Amino acid sequence: MDQDLATIVRETATEMALAPVRGRVADYIPELAKLSDRHFGMVVITADGAEFAAGDADLPFSIQSISKVFALVEAMASHGEALWQRVGREPSGGAFNSIVQLEAEGGKPRNPFINPGAIAVTDLITDGDDPRAGAGRILRLLRQLSGNGGIAMDGAVAYSEAATGHRNAALAHFMKAHKVLSGNVEATLSAYFHQCAIAMSCRDLARAGRFLMNDGVDPASGQRVVSAEQARRINALMLTCGHYDASGDFAFSVGLPAKSGVGGGILASVPGRASIAVWSPGLSPQGNSLLGTRALERLASATGWSVFNPNR
Ligand code: GLN
């Protein structure tokens, strides 16, 4: 299998590098609009620790909404079940920054992976008025899990989003009006923009996600990150809500828990088997990496990996 996997990863990266249709780079955050759509990177880490990398595997990119997985880890650790009073666990069937559903449902966001859900989670882990506390917790966790102490926030991306993030501000203030947020709205938003602006490579990300394939334990250090039950729940949310209004389509065509970000990254896990990160900045209309999704589809089909196929 290892030999096969090396070939599959290499061939997938070559195919994606040459793909003529590459999606559209996010332009609503001006700093992200500067990215070339030519990039493609991929890293697969198997349960035995072997790493298979291809393309721009070591180039850092803005993780954006992939940070929502790690914010959830922090909130689970500090707030346990109480977290679910603030945020639901249902797919939204809508865009990541949609406002209409939030109003119809009394300010409680559907799930932790759409923007209002993630802002509510960040509010929980942002201590008082200090935005550095919330985003700092996520950054520390990512450094520790990836083993890369050099991971940092891209200040230009955070500033760029803060300067233009009026929809997120509207979502946050609306939730504050409904008492779904308890902290200072400006501090929570700043923490949220900074966590989204964390820059990591596919290799860092695939390493940071290893606990998701391993019942909540980081296989590199043996350290428990979340309980086995919490790891299953995070994977369930990634499968059902990780790609917004394309989550059903992603489960249908790839069949793996995964979380996307508008920087073009996707973190996926194959429970018991592998942790995978892909990156290509061109997005689908729903805001998910077009070639990243296609690469995962190709990988899942070539390996047989799927949560619906426990024998592979
Ligand atoms: N920071 C981005 C935003 O709030 C994250 C969205 C995403 O990656 N889908 O719009």
Side-chain angles (χ1 to χ4, degrees):
M1 180 61 164
D2 278 6
Q3 185 52 46
D4 288 355
L5 201 47
T7 309
I8 294 167
V9 169
R10 198 180 53 242
E11 287 180 358
T12 303
T14 306
E15 195 179 305
M16 298 309 144
L18 298 173
V21 178
R22 310 187 68 83
R24 266 192 73 186
V25 174
D27 55 9
Y28 74 99
I29 301 176
E31 200 60 27
L32 293 185
K34 297 179 182 168
L35 271 175
S36 158
D37 68 2
R38 304 312 303 175
H39 294 295
F40 179 84
M42 182 170 193
V43 170
V44 177
I45 306 179
T46 48
D48 59 7
E51 292 192 9
F52 303 88
D56 297 322
D58 292 297
L59 216 57
F61 58 89
S62 192
I63 65 169
Q64 293 294 320
S65 286
I66 303 170
S67 66
K68 295 169 180 173
V69 174
F70 299 91
L72 180 61
V73 166
E74 286 292 337
M76 279 177 159
S78 54
H79 291 75
E81 288 296 300
L83 157 68
W84 305 113
Q85 290 162 13
R86 301 280 188 104
V87 60
R89 299 164 320 225
E90 287 297 335
S92 70
F96 57 81
N97 55 6
S98 170
I99 294 177
V100 60
Q101 194 171 53
L102 199 61
E103 166 141 44
E105 299 184 358
K108 183 176 177 180
R110 277 279 176 109
N111 68 68
F113 293 156
I114 48 174
N115 288 10
I119 293 168
V121 168
T122 298
D123 177 71
L124 279 179
I125 62 170
T126 299
D127 200 7
D129 288 351
D130 185 0
R132 283 168 303 189
R137 276 172 70 172
I138 298 169
L139 182 62
R140 265 194 306 282
L141 177 67
L142 286 168
R143 284 178 175 167
Q144 177 202 325
L145 293 176
S146 64
N148 180 0
I151 291 174
M153 291 166 190
D154 184 329
V157 172
Y159 177 80
S160 180
E161 190 172 1
T164 56
H166 305 297
R167 283 188 81 94
N168 286 324
L171 292 165
H173 281 285
F174 190 76
M175 288 189 288
K176 181 72 177 178
H178 280 276
K179 301 191 170 44
V180 172
L181 299 195
S182 51
N184 174 302
V185 178
E186 300 312 323
T188 295
L189 278 170
S190 175
Y192 172 75
F193 295 143
H194 280 86
Q195 78 183 50
C196 288
I198 293 172
M200 293 170 75
S201 66
C202 287
R203 195 181 301 276
D204 293 332
L205 209 48
R207 287 181 181 172
R210 286 174 293 194
F211 72 97
L212 292 167
M213 66 152 151
N214 195 40
D215 278 340
V217 173
D218 175 14
S221 63
Q223 187 205 329
R224 179 161 291 288
V225 183
V226 289
S227 71
E229 184 185 51
Q230 285 170 330
R232 285 196 295 276
R233 290 176 158 187
I234 297 170
N235 277 310
L237 287 167
M238 288 168 72
L239 183 73
T240 54
C241 311
H243 284 73
Y244 320 113
D245 42 344
S247 297
D249 213 36
F250 188 91
F252 180 88
S253 54
V254 180
L256 296 171
K259 181 74 206 84
S260 69
V262 288
I266 303 177
L267 172 65
S269 80
V270 192
R273 296 264 175 268
S275 176
I276 306 161
V278 289
W279 172 52
S280 181
L283 307 178
S284 69
Q286 292 91 353
N288 304 305
S289 173
L290 192 76
L291 295 180
T293 305
R294 194 174 309 155
L296 288 169
E297 197 175 337
R298 193 184 188 284
L299 177 73
S301 130
T303 54
W305 286 344
S306 160
V307 286
F308 307 108
N309 186 4
N311 301 323
R312 293 300 294 269

